[in-house]
Amino acid sequence: MAHVRNLVIILGDQLDRSLSALDDYDSERDVVWMAENDTEATYVWSHKKRLVLFFSAMRHHRSDLENRGYKLWYHALQADARHDSGSDFASVLGTAINELAPKRLVMTECGDYRVQKMLSDCAEQHDLTLQVRPDRHFYCSLEAFDEWASERDSLLLEHFYRWMRRAEGVLMEGDAPEGEQWNFDKSNRAAFGRDGPGQLPHVRQFRPDTITRDVIEMVEARFPDHPGHTQGFDLPVTHEEARTALKDFIDHRLALFGDYQDALWTEMPFAYHSRLSAALNLHLIDPRACIDAAVAAYHNGHAPLNSVEGYVRQILGWREYVRGLYWHEMPDYAERNWLNAELPVPQSFWDGDTDMACIADAMHNVLDNGYAHHIQRLMVLGLFALVAGVHPYRFHEWHMAMYLDAIDWASLPNTLGMSQFGDGGLMGTKPYCASGNYINKMSNYCKNCRFNHKQSSGTEACPITTLYWDFLDRNLDRFKGNRRMVFQIKNLEKKRDDKDLIAAIRDRADGLRQQISGGERI
C-alpha cells in the first residue's frame, strides 16, 4: 500500500455501492478507509441493536467492497479495547495516515456536523487536502436546498414537498398532482376502533449470519451496560436484504399503510410501516428504489393513492427536507431552545418503567427493537417530553442513542425542531401538543392505564393531560398570538377562570416535573 494517492473515507452511514467518494477510484493507487470506533458507540449511550446494525452493516460492506476489487484499511472493534488503534475517527484516521502517507483524503458529504468537523480538523493537522463530494443518495443537493430556502421567508415542508414533486415528476400529471391533491394526510389518520387491528401482516426478518453473530458477541462483551438488548436481531444488513425488505413492504403492507400510519395499539411494534428507515439512513437502499416501487404499486392497482402519496411524502418530502434544513441551519441550530426547557429526559425513556400505559408500550418497542413509528415518537414520547419541558438537545441525544435509524441530520431537526419546538416555529407553525384525549382517540392505551386521560389535576390525572394544560399556561405569552392555537388558548382561559382548578393543575405539574428532574418513577 505504498505511494497511496487517495485515502477514500467511507463512514458507517455511507454504505452506498455507488458512493461519490469512490468515483475515479484506482485500485493501484487508492485505499478505502473504514473505522468502527469507541467514541461513536459511546458519545451517546447507544442501544445495543444500534451498535450491532452499524457494525454488522459496515463489515458486510467491507466484504462487498473487497469482493469487487477495492483495497481496504478497516478498523474493527474487538471485545478488548486495548486492541484499538484509536478511540475516535480522528485518532484512527491519523494512524492510517501515518501508515499509508496518502496524498489526499476523499469523502462524500457527511451526515453529522460534528464528525465532518472532526475529519476536516484531522486533515488540516496532517497538512492534507480533504475533498468532500456531493452525496448522490439524496434527491436534493445541499446547494439546491440553499437556493430554494434563500427565495422564501418561511421554510415549511409543504412548499418544499410540492417543489420536489414537480422537480422529480413523482405522482404528477403534467404540472398537477395525481388525484388532484398534493397531500392526502387527512386520509392517513384512521384509528383501529375498539376491536383493534386484527391479524397484522408478518414483517420480513433476516437471520444473523456469521459476521452479524460475531458483532453481537463483541457488543455484548464490550458494551454490556448499554440500553436494550441484542436478542432477536433481524434487520437487513446488506443491500440484497434491504431490497428484499422493500419488496415485503410493497407486497404486504403498503396498501393499508396510508389509512393506519398514525394508529396506535398495545404490543403492535410495526403495524403497516415499512421498517426501512434504518436501511435508508445507512444507504443500504436507494430512496429512488423505494419511491419507484411504491408509485408502480399505485399504477398497477396494488395500493391506493393515499398510501402511496403518504409514503412518497415521508421520503421525497420529509426526509429530503430535514436533511437540507439541518445543513442550512447548522451549527447554530443545535443550540436553539425557544421554550427555555431544562428538564432531563425522564428515566422511563431509558428503562420503560412507568405506570403510563402509552409510554410503557412505546418504550417496550424502543427497548426491544430500537424503533417506534412516527406517531409514537412525536405524539407519545415526544409529546410527553415537550409538555414536561425536557431540554430539546437532551431529547435529541436520547433519540440518537435509542433509535437504530438515528443519524444527526435526521434526528436533530425532528427532535429539537418538529417534536420539541426548540426552533420556535422554523419547521412548524405550532407545537405538536395535545392532552391525553388525543392518545385515547388513536389507541387503546388509556383503556388499560391507571391514570385518567380526562382528568387534569390530582394524582389520578393523566400526566400528559396535566402537563399539557400547564405547558399552555406557562407558555401563554409565547403562544397567544399564534393563530393556529386560538382554540387551545380559549380552552386554557376557561381553565384559568376556575382559580382552584388551575392552581391544582400547576401544583400537580410542579410535582411531576420534580419527579422527572429527580429521576423518579411516574
Side-chain angles (χ1 to χ4, degrees):
M1 292 188 180
H3 310 295
V4 171
R5 180 187 65 160
N6 291 335
L7 186 59
V8 181
I9 298 168
I10 297 181
L11 303 175
D13 61 337
Q14 296 181 334
L15 309 183
D16 191 334
R17 278 178 169 157
S18 58
L19 193 70
S20 61
L22 295 172
D23 292 351
D24 72 8
Y25 175 86
D26 185 335
S27 60
E28 297 297 321
R29 298 187 293 166
D30 299 336
V31 175
V32 172
W33 178 90
M34 297 179 69
E36 304 166 18
N37 68 82
D38 190 77
T39 295
E40 294 307 302
T42 59
Y43 89 96
V44 292
W45 197 33
S46 290
H47 194 297
K48 288 180 181 179
K49 281 185 178 174
R50 185 170 187 263
L51 299 178
V52 173
L53 172 68
F54 270 80
F55 297 152
S56 176
M58 289 174 69
R59 293 183 188 190
H60 281 91
H61 193 61
R62 170 186 62 181
S63 297
D64 180 68
L65 289 169
E66 289 173 338
N67 290 338
R68 292 192 289 140
Y70 292 89
K71 294 178 182 176
L72 271 90
W73 195 101
Y74 190 98
H75 183 262
L77 291 181
Q78 300 180 44
D80 188 343
R82 289 176 295 181
H83 296 291
D84 293 355
S85 295
S87 62
D88 59 15
F89 278 127
S91 57
V92 179
L93 181 58
T95 299
I97 290 171
N98 292 334
E99 180 181 323
L100 302 175
K103 292 182 173 61
R104 182 175 68 166
L105 305 179
V106 176
M107 69 177 297
T108 294
E109 290 165 337
C110 191
D112 187 319
Y113 181 90
R114 172 187 58 86
V115 174
Q116 186 69 70
K117 187 175 187 308
M118 188 187 305
L119 294 174
S120 297
D121 290 347
C122 180
E124 184 176 345
Q125 289 167 8
H126 288 270
D127 198 25
L128 286 171
T129 299
L130 173 62
Q131 183 184 81
V132 181
R133 298 175 179 176
D135 191 345
R136 294 190 297 258
H137 171 87
F138 295 95
Y139 283 88
C140 183
S141 70
L142 299 180
E143 292 76 16
F145 185 92
D146 286 344
E147 183 177 351
W148 172 83
S150 69
E151 299 170 352
R152 286 160 176 80
D153 294 328
S154 65
L155 305 181
L156 297 181
L157 166 68
E158 188 64 26
H159 302 155
F160 175 79
Y161 174 51
R162 296 184 185 191
W163 179 68
M164 289 295 292
R165 286 269 295 275
R166 287 191 175 103
E168 299 298 330
V170 175
L171 291 176
M172 298 295 295
E173 293 177 338
D175 196 47
E178 292 199 42
E180 300 180 348
Q181 285 181 230
W182 287 103
N183 187 317
F184 286 82
D185 188 47
K186 291 181 180 179
S187 301
N188 298 151
R189 301 173 184 171
F192 288 121
R194 65 179 60 185
D195 294 330
Q199 185 66 39
L200 290 167
H202 176 74
V203 176
R204 180 72 160 82
Q205 298 171 304
F206 299 90
R207 183 177 301 170
D209 62 5
T210 301
I211 292 175
T212 301
R213 291 195 297 271
D214 287 345
V215 170
I216 289 171
E217 183 178 344
M218 182 274 291
V219 167
E220 289 288 6
R222 182 158 179 165
F223 306 104
D225 62 339
H226 278 230
H229 56 77
T230 62
Q231 287 79 25
F233 182 87
D234 60 0
L235 284 161
V237 292
T238 68
H239 303 91
E240 292 77 15
E241 288 178 345
R243 288 194 295 270
T244 299
L246 171 63
K247 185 177 187 304
D248 178 66
F249 167 64
I250 298 294
D251 290 349
H252 302 297
R253 301 191 300 285
L254 175 62
L256 288 174
F257 165 76
D259 288 350
Y260 298 112
Q261 66 172 289
D262 286 6
L264 301 163
W265 202 262
T266 304
E267 297 182 359
M268 184 188 71
F270 309 120
Y272 295 98
H273 290 264
S274 72
R275 207 191 178 196
L276 283 167
S277 55
L280 273 165
N281 288 354
L282 267 63
H283 296 193
L284 290 175
I285 194 165
D286 193 292
R288 295 160 190 80
C290 298
I291 287 179
D292 290 349
V295 171
Y298 167 62
H299 289 153
N300 293 336
H302 296 312
L305 184 55
N306 74 308
S307 288
V308 173
E309 185 279 319
Y311 188 59
V312 166
R313 187 171 1 112
Q314 287 190 349
I315 297 177
L316 185 62
W318 193 250
R319 188 170 183 265
E320 297 286 328
Y321 167 76
V322 162
R323 188 237 182 185
L325 189 76
Y326 174 87
W327 286 107
H328 186 70
E329 297 293 326
M330 284 297 281
D332 295 341
Y333 192 78
E335 300 176 5
R336 296 185 188 181
N337 185 3
W338 191 71
L339 296 173
N340 294 324
E342 294 296 337
L343 284 184
V345 172
Q347 180 60 32
S348 59
F349 281 30
W350 296 107
D351 59 25
D353 184 18
T354 176
D355 283 340
M356 299 174 66
C358 58
I359 301 296
D361 187 71
M363 282 308 306
H364 179 74
N365 197 6
V366 173
L367 289 166
D368 267 4
N369 301 302
Y371 174 84
H373 72 64
H374 66 281
I375 294 300
Q376 287 175 311
R377 299 192 200 204
L378 180 65
M379 296 305 297
V380 177
L381 300 169
L383 171 60
F384 185 52
L386 171 68
V387 295
V390 170
H391 191 289
Y393 196 81
R394 302 289 88 77
F395 184 72
H396 159 65
E397 290 179 316
W398 168 82
H399 190 273
M400 285 289 293
M402 298 299 279
Y403 288 99
L404 274 60
D405 58 12
I407 311 295
D408 207 62
W409 67 262
S411 176
L412 186 63
N414 271 303
T415 53
L416 184 148
M418 176 77 166
S419 175
Q420 302 303 295
F421 209 66
D423 62 12
L426 179 65
M427 294 184 69
T429 54
K430 64 182 289 291
Y432 279 85
C433 58
S435 72
N437 287 326
Y438 170 84
I439 294 173
N440 182 61
K441 175 185 174 183
M442 296 303 296
S443 75
N444 68 331
Y445 292 149
C446 301
K447 175 183 175 182
N448 303 305
C449 187
R450 87 158 185 86
F451 296 109
N452 186 342
H453 69 277
K454 296 179 181 179
Q455 195 169 322
S456 58
S457 63
T459 57
E460 300 304 310
C462 169
I464 288 177
T465 299
T466 300
L467 290 166
Y468 164 73
W469 291 113
D470 185 70
F471 172 75
L472 294 178
D473 182 52
R474 67 180 187 268
N475 290 295
L476 179 60
D477 289 343
R478 291 185 174 94
F479 296 146
K480 62 185 178 183
N482 189 318
R483 289 179 296 176
R484 292 195 63 203
M485 298 187 70
V486 170
F487 180 73
Q488 290 171 297
I489 296 303
K490 283 184 177 179
N491 284 335
L492 171 66
E493 289 170 347
K494 292 177 184 177
K495 287 273 194 294
R496 281 186 156 197
D497 288 340
D498 186 332
K499 303 300 184 184
D500 291 337
L501 176 58
I502 197 66
I505 290 172
R506 291 168 180 166
D507 183 66
R508 175 60 176 152
D510 285 346
L512 288 167
R513 285 198 298 273
Q514 288 175 18
Q515 287 179 270
I516 293 169
S517 182
E520 298 176 32
R521 187 179 188 277
I522 295 176

